């Protein structure tokens, strides 16, 4: 329960973090406009914007060009040929004259004319430029556009050396039609004096529009300032004014609330932030617009048909693309894009009406992605299939990427997909980490629990396949093992504590190593006794076979140890082993604080009784009929069995036949004929033919006087000849003691 609570608490924190990040990514531009940029705010947009840029590039058509917008480039070739920059204004006048001849409709200069040009001759280059502007604009629909710059108004006090206190008169001709709620204003700005057109040009009825733009927090230009709030009056930007002059559209600015603004155009609605900016939907870089070098324009004839085809009825942007001009901007489509292409992309966007949907709609769709992804991954993880989790996470990521890139981005959505996917990945990673931690914890628990009882190979198998064990009580068919050192009390009396410890450790090490070699599980040591079993916690095929095989190995490995004890002057060890097969309850038994993995049940008790009967019958390995039957016939051929008796042990109502398993060192191991005669005599005994049985047992006893079973059965038959058994006797011998 605690694991689940911790898991879902972590998932809630992940989703909350991603949700907050989506909020910051959506509102970063507005938030940083109102305060200093802080990593706590900008981190989200850093990841989201770059991830969006990457996806957006897949939607750009490399073959598409907007031939309506032409760049007259002041390139390196022009500078090298024509001469130093800035050129004399008479050169600019020549550009206008040439473009008028070629039929250009709008000429937008990305060049500041903020200071008069000093001339040596009587004719001023500024006047020449002004005359060219007037001549160009005499043609109906033609317009020249000159730029100026605005800066954010940070205080009520205005430094009139750098900024206009009042709106310049020329700008009042271009006031935007504005509808706004009371108290709803965009960020106020000031007109900079340093780059405002000189009066001789500004008074030619040219279009004058602001051209300043600011990069995002990561230094990339993605937002374009479409309108500027100057003294609570709104004016169009360079791109917006170009669009209006070209189309004749009179756009309307609406500000229904302090945090909401949008521009109404014939082609659609452009949503603005509180700085008056709109995000650009890129057509592409420099190669997506026709480009003609200024040098080529100068060298072409006034009636050049190629030039007329290129510029006829088009918008022409005159701007620098030269590397040394430093008007290069880091944009999503090019890290060194000439600034004029930034403006041209916005004009293209206005002309085609391919705008972004509102931030509200994009954010809402982002929430849907976030919630859907989180629900799907949590639902799949509840199934508990690690492989399925992995595949679903990857499929979900690929599906989100594909849907967003090829459906939502073309539709104008700016889905904050980075944090939507991050939520999926982190939820998956968090749950995987917890399950990995839990699995390691379980493995350590299993290793700590079973390393004392199992062979290292079996422990490793459990760690690799923990499903093979179920902690807690369960019924399992196992073969139980009990061993005990004979006359241990007398042995301990002959040894010092140190010597006794040495001997017992050596003996127990041999027994335990042999047990583990044969896939057995150690239950416990009880003084000189050892309790073990086969078949738990890991299922072992033919566990009765492995138990008998292991017990025989223990018997065979004892003589070399006794030889060492003799050389050291210590008593030799003799032991008895009892095996029984049957169903027992196995699992962790004990208290909540202290427990051990053990087995309980009636079949455990029978195994203990069989071990104690080894001394009575004079054998080393005593097994029940259940163990013998559990060994497949093809494996049982490895062993030599001898029937010992049919007995009722203390605490048991039903009789059970018990067998001795002979080890290779046993005196009867290779006496097949003797064993066959013994089994025949034992059958005569069960059939109450005591005289015939006694004759065989006597013959066997005389041949093998050291064998206690022959002697015991002879005496039993002779006793029954003197005093016959009671009516209904079935050969069962009842033991009264343990």
């Amino acid at each position: 329960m605690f694991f689940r609570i911790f898991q879902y608490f972590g998932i809630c924190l992940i989703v909350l973090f991603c949700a907050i990040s989506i909020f910051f990514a959506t509102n970063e531009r507005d938030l940083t406009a109102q305060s200093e940029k802080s990593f706590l705010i900008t981190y989200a947009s850093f990841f989201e914007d770059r991830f969006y840029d990457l996806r957006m590039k897949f939607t750009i058509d490399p073959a598409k060009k907007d031939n309506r917008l032409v760049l007259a480039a002041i390139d390196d070739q022009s500078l090298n040929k024509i001469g130093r920059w800035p050129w004399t204004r008479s050169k600019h006048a020549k550009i206008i004259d040439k473009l008028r001849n070629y039929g250009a409709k709008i000429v937008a200069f990305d060049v500041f004319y903020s200071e008069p040009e000093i001339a040596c001759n009587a004719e001023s280059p500024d006047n020449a430029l002004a005359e060219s502007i007037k001549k160009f604009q005499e043609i109906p629909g033609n317009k020249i556009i000159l730029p100026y710059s605005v800066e954010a108004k940070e205080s009520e006090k205005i430094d009139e050396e750098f900024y206009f206190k009042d709106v310049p008169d020329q700008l009042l001709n271009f006031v935007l039609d504005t509808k706004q709620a009371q108290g709803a204003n965009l960020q106020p700005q000031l007109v900079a004096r340093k780059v405002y057109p000189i009066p001789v040009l500004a008074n030619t009825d040219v279009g004058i529009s602001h051209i300043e733009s600011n990069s995002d927090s990561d230094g990339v230009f993605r937002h374009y300032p479409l309108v500027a709030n100057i003294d609570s009056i709104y004016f169009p930007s360079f791109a917006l004014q170009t669009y209006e002059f070209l189309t004749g559209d009179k756009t309307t600015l609406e500000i229904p609330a302090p945090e909401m603004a949008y521009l109404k155009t014939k082609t659609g609605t452009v949503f603005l932030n509180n700085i008056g900016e709109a995000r650009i939907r890129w057509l592409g870089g420099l190669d997506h617009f026709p480009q003609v070098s200024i040098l080529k324009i100068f060298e072409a004839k006034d009636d050049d048909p190629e030039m007329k085809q290129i510029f006829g009825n088009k918008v022409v942007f005159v701007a620098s693309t030269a590397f040394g001009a430093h008007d290069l901007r880091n944009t999503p489509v090019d890290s060194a894009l000439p600034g004029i292409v930034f403006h041209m992309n916005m004009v293209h966007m206005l002309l085609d009406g391919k705008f972004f949907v509102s931030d509200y709609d994009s954010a809402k769709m982002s929430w849907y992605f976030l919630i859907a992804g989180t629900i799907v991954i949590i639902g799949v993880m509840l199934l508990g299939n690690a492989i399925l989790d992995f595949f679903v996470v990857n499929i979900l990521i690929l599906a989100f990427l594909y849907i967003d890139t090829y459906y939502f981005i073309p539709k104008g959505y700016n889905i904050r997909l980075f944090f939507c996917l991050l939520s999926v990945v982190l939820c998956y990673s968090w749950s995987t980490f917890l399950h990995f931690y839990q699995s390691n914890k379980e493995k350590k628990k299993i290793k700590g629990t079973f390393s004392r009882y199992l062979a290292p190979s079996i422990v490793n198998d459990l760690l690799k396949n923990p499903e093979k064990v179920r902690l807690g009580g369960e019924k399992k068919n196992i073969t139980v093992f009990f061993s005990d050192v004979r006359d241990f009390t007398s042995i301990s009396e002959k040894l010092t504590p140190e010597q006794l410890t040495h001997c017992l450790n050596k003996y127990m090490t041999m027994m335990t190593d042999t047990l583990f070699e044969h896939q057995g599980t150690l239950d416990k040591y009880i003084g000189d006794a050892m309790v073990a079993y086969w078949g738990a916690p890991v299922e072992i095929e033919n566990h009765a076979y492995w138990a008998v095989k292991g017990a025989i190995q223990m018997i065979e490995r004892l003589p070399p140890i006794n030889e060492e004890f003799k050389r050291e002057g210590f008593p030799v060890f003799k032991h008895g082993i009892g095996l029984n097969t049957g169903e027992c309850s196995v699992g962790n038994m004990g208290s909540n604080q202290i427990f051990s993995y053990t087995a309980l049940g009636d079949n455990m008790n029978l195994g203990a009784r069989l071990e104690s009967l080894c001394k009575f019958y004079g054998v080393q390995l005593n097994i029940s009929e259940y163990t013998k039957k559990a060994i497949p016939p093809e494996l049982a051929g490895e062993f030599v069995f001898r029937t010992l008796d049919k007995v009722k042990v203390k605490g048991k109502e039903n009789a059970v036949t018990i067998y001795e398993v002979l080890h290779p060192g046993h005196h009867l191991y290779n006496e097949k004929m003797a064993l066959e005669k013994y089994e025949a005599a034992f059958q005569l005994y069960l059939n109450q033919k005591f005289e015939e049985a006694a004759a065989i047992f006597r013959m066997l006893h005389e041949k093998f006087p050291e064998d206690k079973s022959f002697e015991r059965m002879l005496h039993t038959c002779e006793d029954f000849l003197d005093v016959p058994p009671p009516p209904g006797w079935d050969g069962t011998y009842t033991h009264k003691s343990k």
Side-chain angles (χ1 to χ4, degrees):
M1 176 61 75
F2 177 77
F3 174 81
R4 286 295 182 191
I5 292 174
F6 192 60
Q7 180 185 15
Y8 290 123
F9 177 73
I11 288 174
C12 288
L13 288 181
I14 290 169
V15 175
L16 179 62
F17 167 74
C18 291
I20 292 173
S21 298
I22 289 173
F23 171 79
F24 282 148
T26 303
N27 298 281
E28 182 264 341
R29 198 74 173 170
D30 290 340
L31 293 172
T32 53
Q34 299 170 6
S35 60
E36 292 185 3
K37 293 182 180 180
S38 167
F39 176 76
L40 292 176
I41 297 174
T42 60
Y43 79 91
S45 60
F46 176 85
F47 291 107
E48 285 291 1
D49 287 341
R50 288 173 179 258
F51 192 44
Y52 176 87
D53 294 344
L54 180 65
R55 306 189 316 272
M56 176 270 297
K57 288 179 181 179
F58 287 98
T59 67
I60 292 178
D61 183 354
K64 187 174 182 180
K65 275 191 173 186
D66 190 343
N67 294 315
R68 297 167 296 183
L69 311 176
V70 185
L71 174 60
I74 304 171
D75 53 12
D76 290 305
Q77 185 182 13
S78 301
L79 294 177
N80 291 335
K81 186 74 173 179
I82 297 172
R84 64 173 181 83
W85 181 265
W87 294 334
T88 176
R89 302 271 165 83
S90 60
K91 295 286 187 185
H92 296 220
K94 184 178 179 181
I95 293 172
I96 295 174
D97 293 340
K98 284 279 190 177
L99 293 174
R100 176 172 57 82
N101 291 331
Y102 299 146
K105 186 173 184 181
I106 308 294
V107 179
F109 280 86
D110 184 11
V111 179
F112 290 118
Y113 300 95
S114 55
E115 296 177 352
E117 182 179 344
I118 299 174
C120 298
N121 51 28
E123 185 178 353
S124 167
D126 293 332
N127 290 334
L129 177 58
E131 286 302 316
S132 292
I133 292 173
K134 291 176 182 177
K135 285 180 67 177
F136 183 89
Q137 294 184 149
E138 286 175 356
I139 301 173
N142 279 17
K143 203 71 176 179
I144 299 291
I145 300 175
L146 302 181
Y148 69 94
S149 178
V150 294
E151 294 181 18
K153 183 179 181 181
E154 297 178 352
S155 67
E156 290 302 319
K157 186 177 180 181
I158 299 174
D159 188 343
E160 295 188 43
E161 182 182 353
F162 298 102
Y163 303 104
F164 287 100
K165 181 178 180 181
D166 298 316
V167 177
D169 292 339
Q170 297 89 353
L171 294 185
L172 296 176
N173 296 323
F174 312 113
V175 175
L176 286 171
D177 183 11
T178 305
K179 300 176 182 178
Q180 62 188 116
Q182 187 174 1
N185 274 299
L186 302 182
Q187 182 186 67
Q189 294 175 308
L190 297 172
V191 177
R193 287 183 179 274
K194 59 182 179 180
V195 292
Y196 193 79
I198 58 176
V200 66
L201 301 179
N203 293 326
T204 58
D205 196 29
V206 292
I208 305 176
S209 52
H210 58 88
I211 200 169
E212 192 69 31
S213 59
N214 296 307
S215 67
D216 289 353
S217 56
D218 60 354
V220 180
F221 285 83
R222 300 184 185 89
H223 291 82
Y224 190 94
L226 275 179
V227 300
N229 174 12
I230 303 169
D231 200 18
S232 297
I233 305 173
Y234 292 89
F235 297 93
S237 68
F238 192 65
L240 179 58
Q241 193 170 70
T242 301
Y243 162 78
E244 288 186 335
F245 285 152
L246 179 64
T247 62
D249 184 11
K250 189 62 177 175
T251 58
T252 302
L253 174 66
E254 297 188 14
I255 312 175
E259 301 299 325
M260 182 184 299
Y262 45 86
L263 193 68
K264 291 281 191 178
T265 73
K266 288 180 180 179
T267 55
T269 301
V270 189
F271 292 93
L272 309 176
N273 60 23
N274 64 11
I275 312 174
E277 297 172 326
R279 194 181 184 99
I280 294 181
R281 288 187 64 184
W282 296 88
L283 171 65
L286 194 59
D287 55 346
H288 285 72
F289 300 93
Q291 178 182 351
V292 181
S293 170
I294 290 291
L295 178 61
K296 190 174 181 180
I297 294 174
F298 280 168
E299 292 176 346
K301 296 180 179 179
D302 289 349
D303 59 350
D304 189 300
E306 181 185 357
M307 291 297 176
K308 288 186 177 182
Q309 183 179 0
I310 294 172
F311 295 111
N313 209 36
K314 305 291 177 60
V315 177
V316 182
F317 292 88
V318 180
S320 172
T321 61
F323 183 78
H326 304 296
D327 187 22
L328 301 177
R329 303 188 185 190
N330 183 8
T331 68
V333 296
D334 190 338
S335 59
L337 187 73
I340 191 61
V341 185
F342 181 67
H343 301 285
M344 294 172 77
N345 270 277
M346 176 52 76
V347 176
H348 166 80
M349 176 176 149
L350 290 167
L351 289 172
D352 281 10
K354 292 183 177 179
F355 307 130
F356 280 93
V357 301
S358 69
D359 282 343
Y360 171 80
D361 289 333
S362 288
K364 183 171 67 173
M365 195 57 65
S366 300
W367 295 120
Y368 291 157
F369 270 74
L370 176 67
I371 294 168
T374 304
I375 290 175
V376 169
I377 194 61
I378 291 175
V380 172
M381 287 190 297
L382 287 175
L383 299 177
N385 188 320
I387 295 177
L388 181 63
D389 292 349
F390 176 78
F391 278 106
V392 169
V393 166
N394 284 278
I395 290 171
L396 201 61
I397 290 172
L398 292 174
F400 278 10
L401 283 171
Y402 184 85
I403 293 169
D404 177 64
T405 303
Y406 297 105
Y407 179 78
F408 283 103
I409 288 180
K411 291 286 186 181
Y413 285 87
N414 181 15
I415 306 297
R416 272 61 182 185
L417 194 61
F418 179 86
F419 284 100
C420 295
L421 296 182
L422 183 66
S423 175
V424 171
V425 172
L426 288 182
C427 287
Y428 167 74
S429 301
W430 171 247
S431 295
T432 301
F433 167 76
L434 286 184
H435 281 100
F436 179 77
Y437 172 79
Q438 186 80 350
S439 176
N440 276 349
K441 189 176 178 182
E442 289 291 335
K443 286 183 177 181
K444 288 180 181 179
K445 187 176 180 181
I446 290 172
K447 190 169 186 178
T449 301
F450 292 109
S451 59
R452 295 174 294 166
Y453 316 126
L454 299 172
S457 60
I458 298 180
V459 174
N460 291 334
D461 185 44
L462 279 178
L463 295 178
K464 291 178 183 177
N465 305 285
E467 69 276 2
K468 289 186 177 182
V469 61
R470 280 176 43 205
L471 297 180
E474 60 176 326
K475 291 288 185 181
K476 298 194 81 169
N477 186 275
I478 62 175
T479 296
V480 300
F481 168 100
F482 288 83
S483 73
D484 187 43
V485 177
R486 297 286 169 258
D487 301 320
F488 186 73
T489 301
S490 62
I491 291 174
S492 62
E493 290 174 351
K494 298 173 184 177
L495 300 173
T496 64
E498 292 79 9
Q499 291 171 335
L500 181 63
T501 301
H502 167 73
C503 292
L504 190 59
N505 286 347
K506 197 168 191 65
Y507 166 76
M508 285 299 189
T509 298
M510 179 276 292
M511 296 287 285
T512 305
D513 289 348
T514 307
L515 174 75
F516 287 169
E517 287 173 16
H518 293 79
Q519 306 181 60
T521 300
L522 176 65
D523 188 324
K524 62 177 75 72
Y525 301 119
I526 308 173
D528 60 305
M530 188 169 84
V531 183
Y533 38 82
W534 279 259
V538 177
E539 296 283 351
I540 297 175
E541 188 177 2
N542 300 319
H543 51 75
Y545 163 79
W546 287 105
V548 173
K549 193 175 180 69
I552 291 175
Q553 280 288 304
M554 293 174 186
I555 293 170
E556 288 188 297
R557 290 178 179 179
L558 184 58
I561 291 177
N562 281 331
E563 288 298 324
E564 290 186 33
F565 289 168
K566 286 179 183 179
R567 288 194 298 269
E568 295 173 357
F570 302 146
V572 297
F573 278 36
K574 297 178 182 179
H575 61 189
I577 298 173
L579 297 175
N580 180 45
T581 301
E583 196 174 68
C584 294
S585 179
V586 294
N588 281 326
M589 311 291 180
S591 67
N592 290 333
Q593 289 77 29
I594 301 175
F595 57 85
S596 64
Y597 193 86
T598 188
L600 300 173
D602 196 45
N603 283 303
M604 287 288 287
N605 297 332
L606 178 56
R609 300 293 179 269
L610 295 180
E611 179 276 317
S612 65
L613 292 179
C614 285
K615 186 174 184 180
F616 178 84
Y617 289 100
V619 299
Q620 286 184 278
L621 178 53
N622 182 16
I623 71 171
S624 71
E625 60 180 277
Y626 309 118
T627 298
K628 185 174 182 296
K629 289 177 182 178
I631 302 173
E634 65 273 13
L635 297 177
E638 292 185 25
F639 308 123
V640 178
F641 300 98
R642 174 168 63 167
T643 307
L644 285 180
D645 206 350
K646 187 176 181 181
V647 300
K648 282 184 181 179
V649 298
K650 186 173 182 181
K652 297 286 288 184
E653 292 296 326
N654 298 322
V656 58
T657 302
I658 60 177
Y659 299 85
E660 177 187 12
V661 185
L662 308 183
H663 60 90
H666 196 282
H667 56 275
L668 293 177
Y669 187 77
N670 294 314
E671 296 291 339
K672 185 177 181 182
M673 187 67 71
L675 289 172
E676 289 176 355
K677 289 181 179 180
Y678 172 83
E679 294 295 339
F682 192 84
Q683 193 60 43
L684 291 171
Y685 163 76
L686 293 177
N687 294 332
Q688 300 189 30
K689 296 179 181 181
F690 301 120
E691 188 171 349
E692 295 175 42
I696 298 173
F697 287 136
R698 186 177 295 108
M699 181 267 293
L700 292 172
H701 177 55
E702 289 172 355
K703 186 176 181 180
F704 303 99
E706 73 278 14
D707 191 277
K708 291 187 177 181
S709 292
F710 294 159
E711 181 182 4
R712 179 182 56 80
M713 291 306 299
L714 174 59
H715 292 328
T716 302
C717 288
E718 289 174 344
D719 289 342
F720 280 140
L721 286 172
D722 292 338
V723 181
W729 179 81
D730 61 355
T732 299
Y733 182 83
T734 302
H735 289 271
K736 304 295 185 182
S737 64
K738 295 183 179 180

